[in-house]
């Protein structure tokens, strides 16, 4: 039997899949925020994010691929070290607060509650942080990746 809802009141799996299918090739974003160099130099002394897997299922019609959903909680002023998601396709939806994000070679974007972005397979996530120093932020992240591969690997220097 397929699980139809996520824990913690996150939208039903069917709605998430519909959103994933509807997100199209371009991400939705607003504003720019500070340049990555200005915001990432203090990352080592900041609180870190917490990724909690909510659901994981091998895709029965796509051999070797797994669908994984996770909640990422950012404490106030929290951040993630630079990282990659292997060859996974990533869809990130802001559930609460605002998150600043940057992929290698792209500008910094700030995404607020109800907005999303996508990351292509092999993307290097060089900046991911809570845009607020006083309020928490939360993401729903969906990965479609290679079965058995980790969904997040921090850079070796992190």
């Amino acid at each position: 039997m397929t699980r139809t809802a996520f824990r913690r009141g996150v939208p039903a799996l069917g709605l998430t899949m519909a959103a994933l299918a509807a997100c199209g090739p371009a991400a939705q974003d607003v504003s720019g925020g500070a340049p990555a160099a200005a915001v990432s130099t203090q990352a080592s002394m900041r609180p870190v994010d917490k990724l909690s897997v909510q659901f994981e299922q091998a895709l029965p019609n796509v051999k070797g691929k797994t669908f994984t959903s996770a909640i990422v909680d950012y404490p106030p002023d929290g951040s993630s070290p630079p990282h990659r998601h292997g060859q996974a396709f990533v869809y990130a939806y802001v559930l609460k607060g605002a998150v600043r994000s940057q992929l290698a070679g792209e500008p910094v974007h700030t995404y607020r509650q109800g907005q999303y972005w996508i990351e292509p397979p092999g993307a290097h996530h060089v900046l991911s942080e809570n845009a607020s120093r006083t309020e928490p932020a939360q993401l729903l992240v969906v990965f479609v990746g290679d079965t058995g591969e980790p969904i997040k690997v921090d850079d070796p220097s992190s």
Side-chain angles (χ1 to χ4, degrees):
M1 184 167 146
T2 302
R3 198 186 224 167
T4 58
F6 297 112
R7 286 174 267 170
R8 293 197 208 173
V10 177
L13 178 59
L15 294 175
T16 302
M17 289 299 288
L20 179 61
C23 73
Q28 174 189 15
D29 88 273
V30 295
S31 77
V39 291
S40 63
T41 55
Q42 298 175 349
S44 62
M45 299 184 322
R46 298 169 65 185
V48 295
D49 66 320
K50 179 184 175 198
L51 184 144
S52 304
V53 172
Q54 302 294 302
F55 179 82
E56 189 170 51
Q57 174 70 50
L59 295 175
N61 59 339
V62 185
K63 185 177 179 169
K65 297 293 181 184
T66 295
F67 173 97
T68 304
S69 68
I71 298 293
V72 179
D73 287 295
Y74 288 93
D77 199 35
S79 65
S80 299
H83 60 275
R84 297 175 190 267
H85 300 289
Q87 291 303 306
F89 173 85
V90 179
Y91 169 82
Y93 179 86
V94 182
L95 295 170
K96 179 171 36 172
V99 175
R100 246 188 311 273
S101 179
Q102 181 183 28
L103 300 179
E106 295 185 11
V108 176
H109 297 280
T110 300
Y111 301 92
R112 290 171 173 57
Q113 183 175 353
Q115 297 178 317
Y116 66 90
W117 71 90
I118 60 170
E119 298 177 25
H124 187 201
H125 207 157
V126 296
L127 174 69
S128 181
E129 66 183 6
N130 187 340
S132 173
R133 292 184 178 175
T134 59
E135 300 295 324
Q138 188 177 60
L139 298 174
L140 165 66
V141 185
V142 175
F143 306 88
V144 177
D146 296 335
T147 301
E149 293 296 316
I151 58 173
K152 181 183 176 197
V153 177
D154 292 341
D155 286 359
S157 60
S158 299

